[in-house]
Amino acid sequence: MSSTGRERITIEVGGGGEESQNFLKNFLLKHLSNFLLDSLEDATCLNLPSKTIAFTTDSFTVKPLFFKGGDIGKLSVIGTLNDLAVMGAKPLYLSLSLIIEEGFMSGDLERILESISKASRENEVLIVTGDTKVVPRGAVDGIFINTSGIGEVIYKGLSARNLKPGDVILLSGPIGDHGVCILAEREGFNFEVDLESDCASLFPMLEPLFLANLELHAMRDPTRGGLAGVLYEWAQASKVDILIEEESIPLQPQVRVFCEILGFEPYHLPSEGKAIIALPKREAPKALELLRSHPLGERARIIGEVINWSSKPRVFLKGPYGPIRVMELNNGEFLPRIC
Amino acid sequence: MSSTGRERITIEVGGGGEESQNFLKNFLLKHLSNFLLDSLEDATCLNLPSKTIAFTTDSFTVKPLFFKGGDIGKLSVIGTLNDLAVMGAKPLYLSLSLIIEEGFMSGDLERILESISKASRENEVLIVTGDTKVVPRGAVDGIFINTSGIGEVIYKGLSARNLKPGDVILLSGPIGDHGVCILAEREGFNFEVDLESDCASLFPMLEPLFLANLELHAMRDPTRGGLAGVLYEWAQASKVDILIEEESIPLQPQVRVFCEILGFEPYHLPSEGKAIIALPKREAPKALELLRSHPLGERARIIGEVINWSSKPRVFLKGPYGPIRVMELNNGEFLPRIC
């Protein structure tokens, strides 16, 4: 198979024969070649800088495949890098597994592979092992991508179980951009919005915090489930309550308008380039200073605190005029295939 | 969601909210709980025994999901363990990523998770990180599973590029069982066959070879693409020819009959519990003795040799009556979703 972009991916590409070999050469290695991936063995041998690593996996089923600010390829690299970064790990290596529908346009695949290549180059990680399955028409909608990642743990001890009353909650920037961007572009919503997905790698912004000898308790990126999902996990795992000041949550105006018109809560919408951090209050000024010195963290701020109010761990939201209500969890009904 | 087996998996399970939490508890942790997975962080921190590891990934799209001798769950563990084992690595840790169609029967999911649990326990590996996506009806056919694996390299230097003229090719047992089993159970084939998939973990059989100080050049398990696919990759990567004696390839009688009637070549059909090994001829007797001392390797034998005949790397097949022909590569057309 050559590659003018208008061919369609055939079942034979996934068969392990000559077409598979051609596909590897003309598509995957064309974009992703490096000395480790090129070995094309069943597994790739790696020499790690340390015996303490972080390991993560994520499958990406986003629809549409291409959206403002990114595509499924970029997302599948960045999403996994961020899962490593929020555990205190410097991302090193990724695996890449493609499940492609028979008949998928080769030009779309090339665009996706270019994005994967760009995102991994920019973030100095190598894709070192992979797998491609082609399934008959109708067995998958277009393309799904799994990446797994290995990183070197440079800051130990971050955990959802570590929150303590007196901690404050930092947010690195406005939330919901990715969710609004995907929903607005999706059939049925028909909502024009001048907003890009915030899909971005968090490690460069977070590394200074890891190196600064700060006491950090927990860190997450609010993807599926949004800010509310992370805070609930933390409250339950640490058996604490969390109180968030609604007005302090940074939002882009487009996200605010989208949510007001369509009835979403911004804290239910996923972001793909934001970090939530729980840490002792005394560490907050230094952490904010470090976050704000990176372009991704310019709007970082304290949005709440860890408290100990009720018998059952909950997350509370303090409204602009004082009243306090419970922050509801999103049930996810409207948000399939958001990442 | 409780779990009588007759509920259906809902979109909300993938949404990151309360249903996601319930699903984790009632399905995933019920079957797969261990001290590392239970942390439920975005990535899992691991302390490795060595800095030299093997890393691999595979997505499983097999249809039917349940077949004689296994199911997609068992296959998704064993397949990745075997990719590590044939690179000389002792499997340690797996990731598990599920892509589930909305409406999938919870009872089927439980059977699959039980198989994953059993296969990982039996092989002393831990599933340490995971991800679950639920996509709307029609966006995926039932369930696809990705596993990635990390192993400790205990034998270094196995590579498809290492074959040398004078090497012999060993095969650990009869091939094609998995392929015949899946094809026979598939709609359209309608072929009753009393045969199980050979899906089995290779590391216990291979470990003695790694520890015996033998000189081993290359090792693979012939899954997609079958025996022919592996031999072609080796011939091309090492720039050698390979000559296989057709009669020496061990086959179950059911596989022989299936291939004769339906016109398949056994060396195109995938196996899921066999190893192909290239090594210097002088090492073969010891290697065969070690292989045969394990139940999976009882029928291990030499099936061919590495030669240097032609200018273009090829694989030749010597028939029972002497004539030599080229072993054709399978184009995979009839074999989508075989693993």
Side-chain angles (χ1 to χ4, degrees):
Chain A
M1 184 183 276
S2 72
S3 176
T4 66
R6 301 179 61 183
E7 299 87 2
R8 291 179 178 274
I9 304 298
T10 63
I11 278 289
E12 287 79 1
V13 161
E18 203 170 341
E19 283 300 312
S20 300
Q21 300 289 328
N22 291 341
F23 176 83
L24 281 175
K25 204 166 53 190
N26 297 335
F27 286 88
L28 288 177
L29 293 185
K30 175 179 165 191
H31 294 284
L32 304 176
S33 171
N34 65 59
F35 74 107
L36 289 166
L37 185 64
D38 294 357
S39 72
L40 295 179
E41 303 286 352
D42 278 358
T44 300
C45 292
L46 305 172
N47 289 306
L48 301 173
S50 158
K51 289 185 190 176
T52 308
I53 64 164
F55 182 32
T56 190
T57 192
D58 224 334
S59 285
F60 297 85
T61 63
V62 67
K63 185 177 185 175
L65 295 175
F66 302 94
F67 46 84
K68 286 176 187 156
D71 58 36
I72 190 172
K74 180 180 179 185
L75 193 62
S76 66
V77 172
I78 301 297
T80 290
L81 295 191
N82 287 349
D83 283 347
L84 293 172
V86 295
M87 284 303 289
K90 176 181 163 66
L92 299 172
Y93 298 113
L94 293 181
S95 66
L96 175 69
S97 179
L98 309 173
I99 302 176
I100 307 172
E101 185 179 20
E102 176 187 16
F104 194 74
M105 295 297 291
S106 65
D108 286 344
L109 183 62
E110 295 238 37
R111 277 177 71 192
I112 291 166
L113 291 173
E114 271 166 28
S115 291
I116 291 172
S117 170
K118 183 161 178 281
S120 47
R121 267 184 289 113
E122 286 173 356
N123 290 289
E124 295 170 21
V125 293
L126 292 179
I127 289 162
V128 295
T129 187
D131 174 55
T132 302
K133 295 286 190 299
V134 181
V135 296
R137 262 173 227 273
V140 75
D141 183 16
I143 185 170
F144 289 170
I145 298 180
N146 175 281
T147 55
S148 299
I150 292 175
E152 179 191 3
V153 177
I154 64 168
Y155 186 96
K156 292 186 190 180
L158 292 168
S159 163
R161 297 169 194 205
N162 277 353
L163 278 74
K164 290 173 185 56
D167 283 0
V168 294
I169 307 291
L170 303 192
L171 180 57
S172 69
I175 55 169
D177 297 17
H178 178 75
V180 169
C181 171
I182 297 295
L183 288 174
E185 294 199 23
R186 199 176 276 181
E187 289 166 64
F189 274 94
N190 219 341
F191 197 97
E192 271 292 329
V193 64
D194 182 24
L195 183 74
E196 289 194 346
S197 164
D198 56 347
C199 184
S201 172
L202 291 170
F203 185 75
M205 177 185 73
L206 296 175
E207 187 179 22
L209 274 71
F210 299 140
L211 299 179
N213 247 333
L214 292 174
E215 183 180 336
L216 307 168
H217 287 168
M219 204 179 276
R220 279 287 170 89
D221 62 326
T223 56
R224 267 188 303 174
L227 178 63
V230 172
L231 296 175
Y232 262 94
E233 271 188 63
W234 283 359
Q236 282 167 9
S238 295
K239 298 190 172 53
V240 294
D241 287 343
I242 297 172
L243 176 65
I244 299 295
E245 277 206 43
E246 191 164 10
E247 286 294 278
S248 69
I249 301 173
L251 287 182
Q252 308 266 38
Q254 303 95 314
V255 171
R256 195 182 298 279
V257 169
F258 183 91
C259 286
E260 278 170 5
I261 294 181
L262 293 175
F264 285 99
E265 297 288 359
Y267 46 76
H268 289 160
L269 293 175
S271 307
E272 291 288 346
K274 298 302 178 300
I276 312 172
I277 305 167
L279 76 180
K281 192 171 188 175
R282 68 174 184 283
E283 303 282 34
K286 178 71 180 163
L288 280 172
E289 185 192 322
L290 292 170
L291 288 172
R292 287 174 181 158
S293 69
H294 188 279
L296 279 186
E298 279 169 3
R299 294 182 62 187
R301 56 179 300 181
I302 297 175
I303 60 163
E305 59 187 319
V306 178
I307 53 175
N308 220 336
W309 265 5
S310 60
S311 53
K312 181 185 161 204
R314 279 192 292 187
V315 182
F316 297 99
L317 204 58
K318 191 174 161 196
Y321 309 110
I324 288 175
R325 64 185 204 276
V326 168
M327 183 188 267
E328 299 291 342
L329 263 175
N330 155 42
N331 73 9
E333 187 187 355
F334 295 107
L335 301 168
R337 302 188 65 182
I338 202 92
C339 61
Chain B
M1 184 182 278
S2 71
S3 176
T4 67
R6 301 178 60 182
E7 298 87 2
R8 291 180 178 274
I9 303 298
T10 63
I11 278 289
E12 286 81 359
V13 161
E18 203 171 340
E19 283 300 313
S20 300
Q21 300 289 326
N22 291 341
F23 177 82
L24 281 174
K25 204 166 54 188
N26 297 334
F27 286 88
L28 289 176
L29 293 184
K30 175 179 164 190
H31 295 285
L32 304 175
S33 171
N34 65 60
F35 74 106
L36 289 164
L37 185 65
D38 294 356
S39 73
L40 295 178
E41 303 286 352
D42 278 358
T44 301
C45 293
L46 304 172
N47 289 307
L48 300 174
S50 159
K51 289 185 189 176
T52 308
I53 64 162
F55 183 32
T56 190
T57 192
D58 223 333
S59 286
F60 297 85
T61 63
V62 67
K63 188 178 184 173
L65 295 174
F66 302 94
F67 47 82
K68 285 176 188 157
D71 58 35
I72 190 173
K74 179 180 179 184
L75 194 61
S76 66
V77 172
I78 300 297
T80 290
L81 295 191
N82 287 348
D83 283 348
L84 294 171
V86 295
M87 285 304 288
K90 176 182 164 67
L92 299 173
Y93 299 113
L94 293 181
S95 66
L96 174 70
S97 180
L98 308 174
I99 303 177
I100 307 173
E101 185 179 20
E102 177 187 16
F104 193 74
M105 296 296 292
S106 64
D108 286 345
L109 182 62
E110 294 238 38
R111 276 177 71 190
I112 291 166
L113 292 173
E114 271 166 29
S115 290
I116 290 171
S117 170
K118 183 161 178 279
S120 47
R121 269 184 287 113
E122 286 175 355
N123 291 289
E124 294 168 22
V125 294
L126 292 179
I127 290 163
V128 295
T129 187
D131 174 54
T132 302
K133 295 287 189 300
V134 180
V135 296
R137 261 173 227 273
V140 76
D141 182 15
I143 185 169
F144 290 170
I145 299 179
N146 175 280
T147 55
S148 298
I150 291 176
E152 178 191 3
V153 177
I154 63 167
Y155 186 97
K156 292 186 190 179
L158 292 168
S159 163
R161 296 169 195 204
N162 277 354
L163 278 75
K164 290 173 185 59
D167 282 1
V168 293
I169 307 290
L170 303 193
L171 180 57
S172 69
I175 55 168
D177 297 16
H178 179 75
V180 169
C181 170
I182 298 296
L183 288 174
E185 294 199 23
R186 199 176 274 179
E187 289 166 66
F189 273 96
N190 217 343
F191 196 97
E192 273 291 330
V193 63
D194 181 25
L195 183 74
E196 289 194 347
S197 164
D198 56 347
C199 184
S201 172
L202 291 169
F203 185 74
M205 177 184 72
L206 297 175
E207 188 180 21
L209 273 72
F210 299 139
L211 299 180
N213 247 332
L214 292 174
E215 183 180 335
L216 306 168
H217 286 168
M219 206 179 275
R220 279 289 171 87
D221 62 324
T223 55
R224 268 190 302 173
L227 178 64
V230 172
L231 296 175
Y232 263 95
E233 272 188 63
W234 283 0
Q236 282 166 10
S238 294
K239 298 187 172 56
V240 294
D241 288 341
I242 296 173
L243 177 64
I244 298 295
E245 276 206 45
E246 192 166 9
E247 286 294 278
S248 69
I249 301 173
L251 289 181
Q252 308 265 40
Q254 302 95 314
V255 172
R256 194 182 298 279
V257 169
F258 183 91
C259 287
E260 278 171 6
I261 294 180
L262 293 174
F264 284 100
E265 296 289 357
Y267 46 77
H268 289 161
L269 294 176
S271 308
E272 292 288 347
K274 298 301 177 301
I276 312 172
I277 306 167
L279 78 179
K281 192 171 187 175
R282 66 173 185 284
E283 302 282 33
K286 180 70 181 165
L288 281 173
E289 185 192 324
L290 291 171
L291 288 172
R292 287 175 182 158
S293 68
H294 189 279
L296 278 186
E298 279 170 2
R299 293 181 62 184
R301 57 179 299 180
I302 297 175
I303 61 163
E305 59 188 318
V306 179
I307 54 176
N308 220 336
W309 265 5
S310 61
S311 53
K312 180 185 161 207
R314 279 192 291 185
V315 183
F316 297 98
L317 204 57
K318 191 173 160 197
Y321 309 110
I324 288 174
R325 63 187 205 274
V326 168
M327 184 189 266
E328 300 291 343
L329 263 176
N330 155 41
N331 74 7
E333 185 185 357
F334 295 108
L335 300 169
R337 303 190 65 185
I338 202 92
C339 61

